């Protein structure tokens, strides 16, 4: 099976850059900025990239990663609707998006092994962290963080990334492990996500998380002490849930249980889920032709 991973910035360090490199490293598949005619399948790491760059080049079948769907953003809806008929197979990381495509292949995202349980970094005040790059579409829901910063007396809100209405204490990829080690609670405020990765990284670091229901693959995480849930977009419930999470000090064995909850999200399983998924899909497609 000759798969070519297509991605325009394979040397970058944003999330999709890293996912593409990780997949190539653990499968031996080629990674190029352009499709290859000799491939059995060209696989674009984003349906958005495929929709924006695609011409009439269809000498091999295409697959793409359909990470998330933003129906209320017209240009992003257009990208989804443009890319979908161009692909024979669609990879997804969340079951909710697998229900929206014709030939879904479920894959497990890889949590980088650098995120693990180490000695905590102590702070003068309890810290609630948010992570990511805030987009103009508002899907990260930064406004809810601004309200929380005003209403939460028992902790400070700190951010890694850009665009948050909070104190930024990290903007580098290399600083992420230490960022999580400082937190008492990780908070996800996203309204629409493909995964998202930061809650998984926080759990791998033994940090409790407060996450919204029905967002990305977060409903697929187990019901576990230290994984707190609130209704997506509901500020009052989110505030109460964060306050509840901050009431407890987590013991080492409880942090180990949080880490174990994401133990399957490894680079190896990222590769295996792709390999087995594409093997089954190509075999089935060959049988049907």
């Amino acid at each position: 099976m000759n798969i070519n991973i297509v991605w325009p910035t394979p040397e970058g360090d944003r999330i999709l850059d890293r996912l593409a490199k990780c997949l190539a490293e653990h499968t031996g598949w080629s990674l190029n900025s352009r499709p290859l005619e000799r491939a059995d399948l060209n696989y674009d790491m984003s349906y958005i990239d495929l929709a924006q760059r695609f011409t009439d080049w269809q000498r091999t079948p295409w697959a793409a990663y359909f990470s998330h769907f933003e129906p209320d953003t017209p240009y992003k809806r257009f990208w989804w609707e443009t890319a979908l008929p161009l692909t024979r197979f669609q990879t997804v990381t969340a079951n909710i998006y697998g229900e929206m495509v014709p030939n879904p292949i479920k894959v497990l995202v890889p949590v980088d092994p650098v995120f693990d349980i180490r000695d905590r970094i102590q702070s003068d005040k309890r810290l609630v962290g948010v992570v990511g790059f805030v987009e103009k579409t508002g899907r990260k829901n930064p406004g809810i963080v601004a309200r929380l910063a005003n209403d939460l007396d028992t902790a400070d809100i700190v951010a890694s990334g850009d665009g948050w209405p909070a104190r930024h204490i990290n903007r580098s990829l290399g600083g992420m492990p230490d960022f999580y080690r400082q937190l008492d609670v990780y908070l996800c405020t996203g309204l629409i996500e493909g995964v998202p990765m930061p809650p998984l990284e926080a759990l791998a670091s033994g940090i409790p998380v407060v996450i919204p229901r029905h967002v990305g693959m977060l409903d697929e995480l187990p019901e576990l002490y230290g994984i707190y849930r609130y209704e997506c977009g509901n500020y009052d419930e989110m505030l109460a849930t964060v306050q509840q999470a901050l009431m407890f000090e987590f013991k080492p064995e409880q942090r180990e249980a949080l880490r174990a909850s994401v133990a399957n999200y490894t680079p190896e399983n990222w590769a295996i889920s792709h390999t087995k998924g594409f093997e089954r899909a190509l075999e089935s497609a060959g049988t049907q032709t």
Side-chain angles (χ1 to χ4, degrees), residues 111-118 173-174 176-178 181 204-205 259:
V111 175
D112 195 305
V114 300
F115 299 108
D116 60 13
I117 297 178
R118 313 178 194 181
L173 177 63
M176 289 305 301
D178 281 352
R181 291 172 64 203
S205 306
R259 177 170 173 75

Side-chain angles (χ1 to χ4, degrees), residues 132-287:
F133 293 86
V134 176
E135 302 178 24
K136 62 183 179 181
T137 62
R139 70 182 181 93
K140 298 291 184 183
N141 202 13
I144 208 170
V145 175
R147 291 183 64 185
L148 183 66
N150 288 329
D151 295 343
L152 191 64
D153 297 327
T154 56
D156 283 342
I157 312 299
V158 292
S160 176
D162 282 314
W164 295 102
R167 177 166 61 97
H168 288 76
I169 62 173
N170 178 58
R171 284 188 167 88
S172 72
L173 177 63
M176 289 305 301
D178 281 352
F179 174 81
Y180 290 119
R181 291 172 64 203
Q182 299 174 72
L183 302 182
D184 295 280
V185 174
Y186 175 77
L187 170 64
C188 177
T189 60
L191 301 172
I192 298 173
E193 298 281 2
V195 182
M197 290 298 293
L200 305 186
E201 294 168 350
L203 289 169
S205 306
I207 303 301
V209 299
V210 174
I211 55 177
R213 298 185 185 91
H214 315 312
V215 171
M217 51 67 64
L218 295 178
D219 286 353
E220 300 168 39
L221 292 173
E223 295 293 333
L224 182 68
Y225 181 65
I227 299 178
Y228 301 93
R229 291 176 162 91
Y230 68 95
E231 195 61 32
C232 178
N234 185 318
Y235 174 75
D236 291 336
E237 187 178 2
M238 185 197 74
L239 173 61
T241 305
V242 170
Q243 290 171 328
Q244 177 189 4
L246 287 167
M247 290 174 60
F248 303 100
E249 291 285 350
F250 275 71
K251 299 177 182 179
E253 60 270 22
Q254 293 167 324
R255 295 189 183 278
E256 288 288 352
L258 293 177
R259 177 170 173 75
S261 71
V262 294
N264 285 335
Y265 296 94
T266 64
E268 291 77 16
N269 284 339
W270 172 242
I272 290 169
S273 57
H274 273 87
T275 300
K276 291 186 175 180
F278 284 145
E279 283 177 348
R280 288 193 296 264
L282 287 168
E283 182 179 359
S284 176
T287 300

Side-chain angles (χ1 to χ4, degrees), residues 6-8 32-35 44 46 48-55 62:
V6 182
W7 189 241
N32 294 283
S33 60
R34 297 182 59 81
D44 203 307
S46 171
I48 294 174
D49 176 66
L50 182 62
Q52 290 178 326
R53 79 210 309 258
F54 198 82
T55 60
W62 277 86

Side-chain angles (χ1 to χ4, degrees), residues 45-111:
M45 281 304 305
S46 171
Y47 75 93
I48 294 174
D49 176 66
L50 182 62
Q52 290 178 326
R53 79 210 309 258
F54 198 82
T55 60
D56 60 350
W57 198 95
Q58 292 209 53
R59 297 187 183 92
T60 69
W62 277 86
Y65 172 35
F66 283 74
S67 55
H68 64 283
F69 180 47
E70 296 183 58
D72 297 327
T73 303
Y75 66 93
K76 291 198 172 183
R77 173 186 280 273
F78 172 77
W79 288 338
W80 179 283
E81 293 174 347
T82 299
L84 199 56
L86 300 176
T87 55
R88 184 174 297 183
F89 314 115
Q90 304 84 33
T91 61
V92 297
T93 46
N95 290 336
I96 58 174
Y97 299 119
E99 297 170 358
M100 299 173 60
V101 298
N103 296 299
I105 297 172
K106 179 69 181 294
V107 294
L108 295 176
V109 289
V111 175

